[in-house]
Amino acid sequence: MTEAAAPSRRTRGGGGAARRAERTAVRIECAKYIERKIPNFEVLDEAALAIIEANAELVLEEIGVNFTGNPASLERWRAAGADVQGERVRFPRGMVRDLCKTAPAQFTQHARNPDRNVVIGGKNLVTAPVYGPPFVRDLEGGRRYATMADFEKFVKLGYMSKYLHHSGGTVCEPTDVAVNKRHLDMLLAHMTMSDKPFMGSVTEPSRAQDSVEMCEILFGKEFVQQNTVMTSLININSPLTFDETMMGALEVYARNNQAAIISPFIVGGAMAPVSVAGTLTQVLAEVMVGIAYSQLIRPGAPVIFGTFVTSIDMNSGAPTFGTPEASQILYGAGQLARRMNLPFRSGGGLCGSKLPDAQAAYESANTLNAALMGGVNFMLHACGWLEGGLVASFEKFVMDADQLGALHKMAEGVAVDENAQALDALREVGPGGHFLGCAHTQANFKQAFWRSDLLDYKPFETWIDDGARDTQSLAAARVEKLLRDYTPPPLDPDIKARLEAYVAEKKASMPDAFT
Amino acid sequence: MTEAAAPSRRTRGGGGAARRAERTAVRIECAKYIERKIPNFEVLDEAALAIIEANAELVLEEIGVNFTGNPASLERWRAAGADVQGERVRFPRGMVRDLCKTAPAQFTQHARNPDRNVVIGGKNLVTAPVYGPPFVRDLEGGRRYATMADFEKFVKLGYMSKYLHHSGGTVCEPTDVAVNKRHLDMLLAHMTMSDKPFMGSVTEPSRAQDSVEMCEILFGKEFVQQNTVMTSLININSPLTFDETMMGALEVYARNNQAAIISPFIVGGAMAPVSVAGTLTQVLAEVMVGIAYSQLIRPGAPVIFGTFVTSIDMNSGAPTFGTPEASQILYGAGQLARRMNLPFRSGGGLCGSKLPDAQAAYESANTLNAALMGGVNFMLHACGWLEGGLVASFEKFVMDADQLGALHKMAEGVAVDENAQALDALREVGPGGHFLGCAHTQANFKQAFWRSDLLDYKPFETWIDDGARDTQSLAAARVEKLLRDYTPPPLDPDIKARLEAYVAEKKASMPDAFT
């Protein structure tokens, strides 16, 4: 049902030991990124899209945006023809959209294992894990601050997850490492413990530069300048504000031809108007400015039209997830991105629940489905997200990752070739018969239906005998099994040593800082 | 966000007591059925649809179907021009589809409270609860055989559920009442404890007749002949078999102008080919024959194109739910139904899980979303379904029913009127501000975002202080509250007495039987 790449552990040399290792090795499968054969769902009609696009231009012309703490950016905008007053930048109608036209419609992000390269854009969907939680949770240990040991476990789980195409970035915040050094440990983990593509640091321009330099060790300097090897997350400070930290990181990445997701982060009603159309207007205006800015730095730099919007519980002020308004914004933003011919990021296994329970699953499934149907090309937070993103959950990681398999199958669409038409089966069985033993079923049953690797399909009595376990408990067992089975993908020892030396040297060069 | 009908309890007469009762009465809200303002998702292209339609005709012409134990039906088919050999009926190409043309594209099912009438077809979606489980489960009592007391509790919960438009039918099997009498108690409960529309009995033609007669008491004889007051579930014995029990019930309903859902019940790979296209071919052939047969009984009798298909776990033989193949079949069947201009039934909060846990919610959300996007007009099993339909769960009933509210909001689509465009809010707030206090937010926040009545949106610390409850536990509390708040909708005491007398008389007229 999906292309399974070869086992990533390649034994070198011959002999009985190698063959035994081959036989007993855990088969690590990785599905190819999703190539949709189904249409996108479109919630906005042409008239609505035209209104939102016109209003975004009006916002940019009349209200404008702020580029804060970044005089060079103001110079760039002035030179490009914008109206700059203090830190406020206003744009003649159409200017920003025109600047976006040099951004590529799709790009390849290279992984150190070429079988794991991903093509972001078009009809594709690439999945990446949760990003940013300061806490972790598991069934045994409960909720606690995340550490580097947790981080490494998540990277291993990501590597072992068949339907996860990307290793992600800050899968949790390793709070036991100094803020100014943790990006080094995080990148080292992604580079050595997985062979899937990953994200760079954005918390300081210098840390973005460190990310580029580590990639130059991993991939070679020339390769990095000629190819995209990182996709990093540049959040816009909504409403309409572009701060020097994020723009500084964007400048580093764009200059080095590395991809950036330009993404408003919006709690609806707080950082954007309390309506879907108003929020989409702001999202479009903000993303266009961010992408245009990347193209001022380096025309052709790869970017993604990002949208992260939650609704809000107006009783408590809490952000809410998996809600209909959030899905409507996702669908609408996808349409706006496609009209700009740009890759689109949104979605994820988002939820507000404190536990990986039914609430978590309803909310996550609502968003996962919307992301597939809404044409998302890069889905950050595809697994592991809990409690509004405050928590990375080990159990939810494998629960969501399992559901990603269902998205793969759904995206394949419906075959109608002669075998799929199954007329011979209908003829063979006829009225009142059953299909279990017929030739067509025997020939097709193995690939016919997606099967969860996690969920319970047992008869009731067997389920009772096995301890009457719920999903969280099944997931905890799967986490344990995957971590037990993990073996690292092979990596040239010299490269590994050089990466470790780079990290050690950088860490030694500065005192710990916690901002 | 949805039309809330007036409180269903109407105090009669004046005076302080009446006013006090009005003030303290629980407000029972019922949302109008969903009228979609969003497009349908279509997974099949024109070429695929044409292949499936042509193959269905081929199946009907070449293989045919069996009408078992029902000589009168064979006579009807012969008279209509079919080729009848023994119990096998084959149809000239196009004949069955032509017969279906007299079936209405939509119809109104009347409720005893006209505010609860539903229009089934077109862009509408009507939700009805789980149907058929022999077991019930709740947090406190676990899993056990269902009783009439459980049945009544589900009818009350259905009446109290804002986003449930229909009271359903066999919400669970009252196993403590004789099989030949339980339909009487079930109908009496729907008629007296709720004022929403309901379903009739199909387990015997005589029980269908009892259902019609009880409706004649409730609505008046003339009203029943001129209006549809029941929508009942006629399952086809897949593959390609129409037995005398179900066809006998269909005959009673069609003759009395009452609606029937003509619905294959298929575990994919067992009762149909192990492919989506093959299953859709069989579904189309079967539904067309069932609907054509209803139109032979009475041209213009209201019917629904039904599809209930699950995938199967080929390891264990267990039916599986919420899977991509099941969604693809739902989407495809919806397209086939719309091309016949017929109302479409599918979907529901379907799952295989034993508990109302994350598995239950992932699987249910997958199917609920597919049902909304796939154009379902009548969604049976919209709430309460657990363990592959073996169990009606009290907690899952209110969990799913809550999610139905999200479907209502999603179906409204995206407003782009001047208020929704929110340009004044964007102007008022500007870069770096926040929208919480702005005039547009103040004017709109109450209706802006769908809000769950069940799920947890609390801050972490408050949630801990409140007992760190999971969704099932929150749902158990909601079940208890709804049942505590329940008061029956008013009913003419004379009609109630006549219904009770009818039931008592019927029960006394025959010994208990358990088939």
Side-chain angles (χ1 to χ4, degrees):
Chain A
M1 95 189 226
T2 43
E3 276 183 46
S8 69
R9 195 161 73 158
R10 292 165 192 158
T11 51
R12 288 203 178 80
R19 280 195 298 275
R20 273 194 303 281
E22 193 81 57
R23 274 201 306 276
T24 59
V26 174
R27 192 176 156 76
I28 292 160
E29 290 183 303
C30 184
K32 193 176 175 193
Y33 52 85
I34 292 173
E35 297 170 286
R36 289 181 182 82
K37 292 178 189 149
I38 57 174
N40 294 315
F41 182 76
E42 312 220 310
V43 78
L44 301 176
D45 61 19
E46 179 60 38
L49 289 162
I51 288 171
I52 290 165
E53 287 174 342
N55 285 352
E57 292 289 348
L58 187 151
V59 165
L60 294 177
E61 185 178 38
E62 184 189 311
I63 304 171
V65 305
N66 284 357
F67 272 72
T68 60
N70 191 349
S73 72
L74 301 173
E75 274 318 302
R76 281 188 192 99
W77 280 123
R78 195 172 280 124
D83 167 39
V84 180
Q85 310 279 341
E87 293 191 321
R88 181 74 60 100
V89 187
R90 293 183 180 82
F91 309 88
R93 202 164 282 249
M95 169 191 162
V96 174
R97 184 176 281 266
D98 278 348
L99 281 172
C100 294
K101 286 180 180 160
T102 51
Q106 66 175 43
F107 62 90
T108 298
Q109 181 184 352
H110 293 263
R112 71 171 169 96
N113 177 350
D115 291 341
R116 307 281 182 264
N117 290 358
V118 291
V119 178
I120 298 174
K123 295 281 279 177
N124 299 349
L125 170 55
V126 172
T127 59
V130 62
Y131 188 104
F135 298 100
V136 296
R137 177 184 274 282
D138 60 18
L139 186 56
E140 200 175 310
R143 184 187 193 257
R144 58 193 185 271
Y145 274 103
T147 64
M148 195 60 214
D150 294 315
F151 187 98
E152 292 181 350
K153 280 165 69 176
F154 279 116
V155 172
K156 291 176 183 175
L157 287 177
Y159 173 66
M160 300 289 282
S161 296
K162 178 172 176 182
Y163 299 109
L164 198 66
H165 315 117
H166 202 282
S167 196
T170 309
V171 288
C172 61
E173 279 287 350
T175 60
D176 55 343
V177 182
V179 169
N180 60 336
K181 299 179 180 177
R182 59 177 67 151
H183 65 289
L184 300 162
D185 287 345
M186 291 194 278
L187 279 162
L188 187 65
H190 284 301
M191 290 176 173
T192 60
M193 297 177 152
S194 180
D195 62 1
K196 296 184 181 181
F198 53 83
M199 306 172 78
S201 176
V202 296
T203 54
E204 258 286 304
S206 67
R207 296 172 198 154
Q209 187 57 43
D210 292 347
S211 307
V212 172
E213 287 168 15
M214 287 181 74
C215 282
E216 289 173 347
I217 298 171
L218 185 65
F219 291 96
K221 193 163 180 143
E222 204 182 346
F223 191 88
V224 170
Q225 286 308 314
Q226 289 167 359
N227 297 283
T228 297
V229 297
M230 282 181 288
T231 296
S232 304
L233 178 61
I234 303 296
N235 276 325
I236 295 165
N237 228 327
S238 300
L240 302 170
T241 304
F242 296 75
D243 65 56
E244 70 272 31
T245 304
M246 282 289 166
M247 289 305 102
L250 173 59
E251 290 160 21
V252 171
Y253 286 125
R255 199 174 291 132
N256 287 281
N257 197 33
Q258 299 307 309
I261 308 165
I262 310 290
S263 203
F265 176 94
I266 292 175
V267 177
M271 286 100 102
V274 73
S275 69
V276 170
T279 300
L280 284 171
T281 301
Q282 183 183 316
V283 163
L284 178 59
E286 291 177 342
V287 172
M288 285 201 299
V289 170
I291 288 178
Y293 188 66
S294 75
Q295 303 303 301
L296 286 185
I297 302 294
R298 175 166 170 164
V303 285
I304 300 177
F305 183 126
T307 302
F308 183 94
V309 178
T310 84
S311 46
I312 189 172
D313 172 24
M314 282 294 183
N315 285 10
S316 67
T320 51
F321 300 87
T323 58
E325 298 83 11
S327 293
Q328 288 170 341
I329 289 168
L330 184 157
Y331 288 125
Q335 292 180 263
L336 295 168
R338 287 191 290 279
R339 281 159 72 98
M340 294 182 70
N341 207 19
L342 289 171
F344 174 51
R345 170 258 165 147
S346 195
L350 308 178
C351 63
S353 184
K354 313 295 185 292
L355 297 170
D357 59 0
Q359 174 176 351
Y362 279 119
E363 293 175 340
S364 297
N366 289 346
T367 313
L368 291 173
N369 281 296
L372 177 70
M373 310 296 259
V376 167
N377 300 118
F378 188 81
M379 176 156 59
L380 196 58
H381 313 304
C383 60
W385 170 288
L386 198 66
E387 204 188 313
L390 284 175
V391 172
S393 158
F394 288 98
E395 287 87 9
K396 185 142 183 296
F397 194 100
V398 299
M399 287 158 58
D400 292 334
D402 183 66
Q403 286 291 306
L404 298 180
L407 300 192
H408 279 71
K409 188 68 188 286
M410 186 70 211
E412 287 178 22
V414 177
V416 287
D417 55 64
E418 199 175 311
N419 179 57
Q421 292 179 41
L423 283 173
D424 285 348
L426 287 159
R427 286 192 184 99
E428 180 183 341
V429 174
H434 75 80
F435 289 82
L436 287 172
C438 80
H440 180 264
T441 303
Q442 290 302 311
N444 290 280
F445 78 90
K446 278 186 187 156
Q447 289 76 41
F449 296 125
W450 172 74
R451 189 182 194 284
S452 166
D453 289 322
L454 170 69
L455 302 179
D456 159 59
Y457 296 150
K458 296 192 184 79
F460 180 73
E461 292 71 21
T462 317
W463 174 77
I464 289 282
D465 290 346
D466 286 353
R469 291 186 291 174
D470 70 0
T471 317
Q472 189 181 1
S473 167
L474 293 171
R478 184 164 170 82
V479 168
E480 202 187 312
K481 177 179 168 20
L482 290 176
L483 292 176
R484 201 169 51 231
D485 287 350
Y486 171 83
T487 53
L491 175 63
D492 181 331
D494 177 54
I495 289 177
K496 186 158 187 260
R498 285 167 56 211
L499 286 169
E500 285 165 348
Y502 179 92
V503 169
E505 197 177 312
K506 272 278 165 182
K507 284 176 138 184
S509 73
M510 53 190 167
D512 285 1
F514 279 88
T515 54
Chain B
M1 93 187 229
T2 44
E3 275 183 48
S8 70
R9 194 162 72 158
R10 293 167 190 155
T11 52
R12 287 202 181 78
R19 279 192 300 273
R20 273 193 303 281
E22 193 81 56
R23 274 199 306 275
T24 59
V26 175
R27 191 176 158 78
I28 294 159
E29 290 184 304
C30 184
K32 194 178 174 192
Y33 52 84
I34 291 174
E35 297 170 285
R36 289 181 183 81
K37 292 177 189 151
I38 57 174
N40 294 315
F41 182 77
E42 312 220 309
V43 78
L44 301 176
D45 61 19
E46 179 61 36
L49 288 162
I51 288 170
I52 290 166
E53 288 173 344
N55 285 352
E57 293 289 348
L58 187 151
V59 165
L60 294 177
E61 186 178 36
E62 183 190 312
I63 305 170
V65 304
N66 284 355
F67 272 73
T68 59
N70 190 350
S73 71
L74 301 174
E75 274 317 303
R76 281 189 193 98
W77 281 123
R78 196 171 280 124
D83 167 39
V84 180
Q85 311 278 341
E87 292 191 323
R88 182 72 60 98
V89 187
R90 292 183 180 82
F91 309 89
R93 204 163 279 250
M95 170 191 163
V96 173
R97 186 175 278 267
D98 278 347
L99 282 172
C100 293
K101 285 182 180 159
T102 52
Q106 65 175 45
F107 62 89
T108 299
Q109 181 184 352
H110 293 262
R112 70 171 170 96
N113 176 350
D115 291 341
R116 307 282 182 265
N117 291 356
V118 291
V119 179
I120 298 174
K123 295 280 280 177
N124 299 348
L125 170 56
V126 172
T127 59
V130 60
Y131 188 105
F135 298 100
V136 295
R137 177 185 274 280
D138 61 18
L139 187 56
E140 200 175 311
R143 183 187 194 257
R144 57 194 186 271
Y145 275 103
T147 64
M148 196 59 213
D150 294 314
F151 187 98
E152 292 181 351
K153 280 165 70 176
F154 278 118
V155 173
K156 291 176 183 176
L157 287 177
Y159 173 65
M160 300 290 281
S161 295
K162 178 172 176 182
Y163 299 108
L164 198 66
H165 315 118
H166 201 283
S167 196
T170 309
V171 288
C172 61
E173 280 286 350
T175 59
D176 55 343
V177 183
V179 169
N180 60 336
K181 299 178 181 177
R182 61 177 66 151
H183 65 289
L184 300 162
D185 287 345
M186 292 194 278
L187 278 161
L188 187 66
H190 283 301
M191 290 177 173
T192 59
M193 296 178 152
S194 180
D195 62 0
K196 295 184 181 181
F198 53 83
M199 305 171 80
S201 176
V202 296
T203 53
E204 258 285 304
S206 68
R207 296 171 199 156
Q209 187 58 43
D210 292 349
S211 308
V212 171
E213 287 168 15
M214 287 181 74
C215 282
E216 289 173 346
I217 298 171
L218 185 65
F219 291 95
K221 192 162 182 148
E222 204 184 346
F223 190 89
V224 170
Q225 287 308 314
Q226 289 168 359
N227 297 283
T228 296
V229 297
M230 282 181 288
T231 297
S232 303
L233 179 62
I234 303 297
N235 277 326
I236 295 164
N237 228 329
S238 300
L240 302 170
T241 304
F242 296 76
D243 66 56
E244 70 273 31
T245 304
M246 281 289 166
M247 288 305 103
L250 173 59
E251 290 160 20
V252 171
Y253 286 125
R255 198 175 290 132
N256 287 281
N257 197 33
Q258 299 307 308
I261 308 165
I262 310 291
S263 204
F265 175 95
I266 292 175
V267 177
M271 285 100 102
V274 73
S275 70
V276 170
T279 300
L280 284 170
T281 301
Q282 182 182 315
V283 163
L284 179 59
E286 291 178 340
V287 172
M288 286 201 299
V289 169
I291 289 179
Y293 188 67
S294 76
Q295 303 302 302
L296 285 184
I297 302 294
R298 176 167 170 163
V303 284
I304 300 177
F305 183 126
T307 303
F308 184 95
V309 178
T310 84
S311 45
I312 190 172
D313 172 24
M314 283 293 184
N315 285 11
S316 67
T320 50
F321 300 87
T323 57
E325 297 82 11
S327 293
Q328 288 170 340
I329 289 167
L330 185 156
Y331 288 125
Q335 291 181 263
L336 295 168
R338 287 192 290 281
R339 282 159 72 98
M340 293 182 70
N341 207 20
L342 289 171
F344 174 50
R345 170 258 165 148
S346 195
L350 308 179
C351 64
S353 185
K354 313 295 186 293
L355 297 171
D357 59 1
Q359 174 176 351
Y362 280 119
E363 292 174 340
S364 297
N366 288 346
T367 314
L368 290 173
N369 281 297
L372 177 69
M373 309 296 260
V376 167
N377 299 117
F378 188 82
M379 176 157 57
L380 195 59
H381 313 304
C383 60
W385 169 288
L386 198 66
E387 205 188 312
L390 284 175
V391 172
S393 158
F394 287 99
E395 287 89 8
K396 185 140 183 295
F397 194 99
V398 300
M399 286 157 58
D400 292 335
D402 183 65
Q403 286 291 306
L404 298 180
L407 300 192
H408 279 72
K409 188 68 188 288
M410 186 70 211
E412 286 178 22
V414 177
V416 287
D417 56 63
E418 199 174 312
N419 179 58
Q421 291 178 41
L423 283 173
D424 285 347
L426 287 159
R427 287 192 184 98
E428 181 183 339
V429 174
H434 74 80
F435 290 82
L436 286 172
C438 80
H440 180 265
T441 303
Q442 291 300 312
N444 290 282
F445 78 90
K446 278 186 187 157
Q447 289 77 41
F449 297 125
W450 172 74
R451 187 181 195 283
S452 166
D453 289 323
L454 169 70
L455 302 178
D456 159 58
Y457 297 149
K458 295 193 184 80
F460 179 73
E461 293 71 21
T462 318
W463 175 76
I464 289 282
D465 291 345
D466 286 355
R469 291 186 290 174
D470 70 1
T471 317
Q472 188 180 3
S473 167
L474 293 171
R478 183 163 170 83
V479 168
E480 200 187 311
K481 177 178 166 24
L482 290 175
L483 292 176
R484 202 170 51 229
D485 288 350
Y486 170 83
T487 53
L491 175 62
D492 181 331
D494 177 53
I495 289 176
K496 186 158 186 259
R498 286 167 56 211
L499 286 169
E500 286 165 346
Y502 180 92
V503 169
E505 199 177 311
K506 273 277 165 181
K507 284 175 136 183
S509 73
M510 52 190 169
D512 286 0
F514 280 86
T515 54

